Amino acid sequence: IKLLYKRSIFSLLIEAGGTLASSFLKEKCLQKVYFFYAPKLLGAEAKSGIGPLEIGALSKAVPFHNVSIQRFAEDFMIEASL
């Protein structure tokens, strides 16, 4: 990330799995997140979109700000600033 900043790249779109997404969240390298959902329940067998954050208490959870929701046919997207 520091190398990209030195090269004047100030915006980066990361399409990530749970492990990479949680790494960026832990390092506070994200300013905005987008979550896409389909109207389906998968249960505990499904992979999580965010890996472990080692938060430990609800009071230390990552807060969302400026939340917006958009529909795309049956799917929807949540956009939020961190």
Side-chain angles (χ1 to χ4, degrees):
I1 297 297
K2 291 177 183 176
L3 177 62
L4 295 173
Y5 185 82
K6 287 179 184 178
R7 293 185 179 180
S8 298
I9 298 173
F10 305 116
S11 181
L12 180 65
L13 174 65
I14 302 165
E15 185 175 352
T19 302
L20 185 60
S22 63
S23 294
F24 272 85
L25 281 165
K26 284 180 190 177
E27 295 297 322
K28 298 183 179 8
C29 291
L30 300 177
Q31 295 174 331
K32 192 175 277 194
V33 293
Y34 299 86
F35 293 101
F36 291 85
Y37 294 95
K40 301 184 186 314
L41 293 175
L42 300 176
E45 301 83 10
K47 291 218 174 220
S48 174
I50 302 291
L53 293 176
E54 301 164 14
I55 291 172
L58 188 56
S59 62
K60 296 183 180 184
V62 179
F64 285 2
H65 306 281
N66 304 316
V67 177
S68 68
I69 300 171
Q70 295 180 27
R71 280 190 72 155
F72 300 96
E74 293 296 316
D75 300 339
F76 62 96
M77 174 190 75
I78 297 175
E79 175 185 352
S81 298
L82 300 178

